[in-house]
Amino acid sequence: MTKSLRLAIAGLGTVGAGIVKIVQQHGDLLTARAGQPIEIVAVSARSRSKDRGVDLSGYAWEDDAVELARRDDVDVLIEVIGGEDGPAKAVVETALANGKHVVTANKALLAIHGQNLATLAEENHVALRFEAAVAGGIPIVKALTEGLAANKIERVMGVMNGTCNYILTVMEATGADYADVLRDAQELGYAESDPTVDVGGFDAAHKLSLLAATAFGTQVDFGGVKIEGIQRITLTDIKNAADMGFRIKLLGVASMNDDGLEQRMQPCLVPTNSPLGMLEGVSNMVIVEGDYVGQIVLQGPGAGEGPTASAVMGDVMDIARGLLIPVFGQPAVTLAKATRSNIGMDAEYYLRFSLADEAGVMAAISTTLGEHGVSINRMRQYNHDGDIAPVIILTHEVSRAQLDEALGVIAAMDTCLEKPIAIRIETV
Ligand code: HSE
């Protein structure tokens, strides 16, 4: 009889339970496609008695997840505990050192320790796979490391946090407050336990750093991602952007510039009628541009039980089929340390000013912009809000440094009543 591929699952939250369901419900399909049965032999979580809606009675239980990684009857350790250190790191390191393959959904762990863990996996000739860590159910890591492996990647970008996309699209559709929509996202199970990780852009930045390493052959450099969250985005900006033909997205972009790797995660305006602009709710979208393939757009659910478990099990299937490719697409020892780009590409910007309603104020603003080389593309003044004149300006391409200088001068004017808002318009 064909030997089974034996799994252990560390962590039985939403994703862990989803993995159990797939293995239990799709046994025949997995066996047929993998060429061998896939079975769960042992599990571990914080509470043994909690009802997770799945039958765990056939599996060995370990109170300490690290013990899973030491068991002789385990071939693949699945880590869905989460967190960049603590038990997740200990379990993964122990499993790799003991010659077991590891599949993880843990973006924070890999964003911080990816290079060391990849080296450990490759030294031990085992797989370390992380499809579920980036954009949930979208097979973007496979796309980069396999289907697009012959391309020089020019840019990788996308919306990779479902919670933020949900908040921004629901705010626009319903006019609801940021705080109320965030609460809904938490209740629906999209948000991380600390939602600052989502709305502050960190979760998506973890994911972007993993894609950048895979796309550009550099060591993961999470510290090199310029991160700005969506907390300062107001309904006013969402409505103004819509009025001018744009949507605001928390967009991650990585590119290899002449002076090094640029990685940024920040709210951006994208055209409403572009694929990114049309992305609704908790969905994710990743766009890859390769020199031979052109542009690839992948869209799908970026969070939740089913999509994340689907991605984990896709990696397990590859291991069952004997696919052993380097963690980030090329051997870890050949990944170059990333040089961080300082230039940053010029861009068009959306600017919002809250100005005193007095003669000459607009003239002063446009003169200051002009003196700093900031050219105005479109301009709109909305109805006065009390004594405040809200003014929106879309610029032509300009460097962020020049723009910031101009905005600094304007912010210091008595007639500028609130700190000006500047949001990048991304070319997509
Ligand atoms: N909190 C994440 C999101 C889950 O909203 O996309 C997947 O990382």
Side-chain angles (χ1 to χ4, degrees):
M1 195 183 139
T2 319
K3 195 175 158 296
S4 298
L5 186 75
R6 300 162 302 177
L7 315 180
I9 306 175
L12 289 170
T14 315
V15 181
I19 294 164
V20 173
K21 286 181 196 167
I22 294 183
V23 173
Q24 291 181 351
Q25 291 169 14
H26 286 179
D28 291 346
L29 179 151
L30 298 179
T31 304
R33 291 182 181 164
Q36 66 176 145
I38 311 271
E39 62 167 327
I40 297 168
V41 295
V43 296
S44 176
R46 269 205 298 259
S47 157
R48 187 166 187 174
S49 56
K50 184 175 170 188
D51 179 9
R52 299 174 169 89
V54 285
D55 179 9
L56 302 172
S57 59
Y59 314 141
W61 179 275
E62 297 283 2
D63 286 326
D64 179 358
V66 175
E67 292 307 318
L68 292 175
R70 298 200 175 103
R71 289 178 67 104
D72 291 336
D73 60 353
V74 170
D75 303 309
V76 181
L77 188 291
I78 297 175
E79 185 275 305
V80 282
I81 301 170
E84 68 186 60
D85 286 304
K89 179 164 177 270
V91 172
V92 170
E93 283 175 342
T94 308
L96 296 173
N98 282 319
K100 298 182 191 310
H101 303 292
V102 170
V103 177
T104 179
N106 191 335
K107 53 258 165 182
L109 175 74
L110 289 180
I112 307 298
H113 304 291
Q115 179 64 20
N116 290 345
L117 294 174
T119 305
L120 184 60
E122 291 169 23
E123 279 171 1
N124 285 282
H125 310 290
V126 288
L128 169 59
R129 312 267 312 192
F130 62 93
E131 188 66 76
V134 184
I138 301 175
I140 178 60
V141 179
K142 279 183 80 67
L144 281 172
T145 54
E146 296 178 47
L148 303 176
N151 284 263
K152 180 169 184 272
I153 302 300
E154 289 163 344
R155 184 166 66 154
V156 56
M157 66 179 166
V159 167
M160 289 176 267
N161 183 272
T163 301
C164 290
N165 204 54
Y166 178 84
I167 291 172
L168 294 172
T169 51
V170 173
M171 280 174 75
E172 181 180 344
T174 65
D177 274 350
Y178 170 85
D180 291 340
V181 187
L182 172 58
R183 205 170 313 113
D184 286 350
Q186 286 176 294
E187 280 165 14
L188 289 165
Y190 303 146
E192 301 296 310
S193 44
D194 171 7
T196 316
V197 173
D198 291 305
V199 297
F202 303 104
D203 170 81
H206 287 146
K207 296 167 183 168
L208 182 71
S209 70
L210 300 180
L211 289 188
T214 312
F216 300 111
T218 47
Q219 297 180 12
V220 185
D221 182 24
F222 172 66
V225 187
K226 294 192 182 104
I227 307 174
E228 192 187 323
I230 63 165
Q231 299 101 320
R232 286 190 69 216
I233 301 297
T234 60
L235 197 52
T236 305
D237 292 315
I238 291 173
K239 284 182 174 159
N240 292 344
D243 197 24
M244 298 187 106
F246 295 94
R247 284 225 162 107
I248 301 178
K249 299 287 171 191
L250 178 65
L251 189 65
V253 181
S255 60
M256 190 55 83
N257 301 344
D258 289 343
D259 69 332
L261 180 64
E262 180 177 2
Q263 304 177 86
R264 52 191 161 78
M265 180 60 62
Q266 62 186 166
C268 291
L269 267 65
V270 295
T272 305
N273 60 4
S274 64
L276 281 165
M278 288 189 272
L279 191 71
E280 300 280 343
V282 74
S283 291
N284 282 197
M285 179 173 284
V286 186
I287 298 178
V288 184
E289 290 162 356
D291 59 349
Y292 275 82
V293 71
Q295 192 183 69
I296 300 279
V297 179
L298 297 173
Q299 176 181 355
E305 176 184 302
T308 313
S310 159
V312 166
M313 287 307 295
D315 281 343
V316 169
M317 293 295 279
D318 276 349
I319 291 169
R321 291 161 164 162
L323 184 68
L324 188 60
I325 50 178
V327 180
F328 294 107
Q330 65 183 63
V333 288
T334 69
L335 294 167
K337 208 165 165 37
T339 305
R340 297 176 184 172
S341 170
N342 287 316
I343 305 174
M345 307 294 263
D346 290 359
E348 298 177 3
Y349 284 86
Y350 159 102
L351 308 178
R352 174 162 62 86
F353 299 98
S354 300
L355 304 176
D357 190 12
E358 290 170 18
V361 174
M362 282 295 288
I365 300 293
S366 50
T367 302
T368 306
L369 290 174
E371 283 169 356
H372 289 82
V374 183
S375 170
I376 295 172
N377 180 4
R378 289 160 65 189
M379 190 159 81
R380 198 166 282 182
Q381 180 167 341
Y382 288 94
N383 288 341
H384 294 188
D385 178 7
D387 290 336
I388 299 178
V391 171
I392 307 301
I393 289 177
L394 302 190
T395 73
H396 285 294
E397 277 197 0
V398 63
S399 80
R400 183 72 205 214
Q402 264 173 290
L403 179 66
D404 282 345
E405 262 186 50
L407 294 182
V409 174
I410 293 170
M413 295 175 180
D414 290 342
T415 49
C416 180
L417 304 179
E418 288 171 17
K419 190 169 178 238
I421 301 289
I423 309 175
R424 185 183 175 105
I425 303 174
E426 192 67 38
T427 308
V428 294

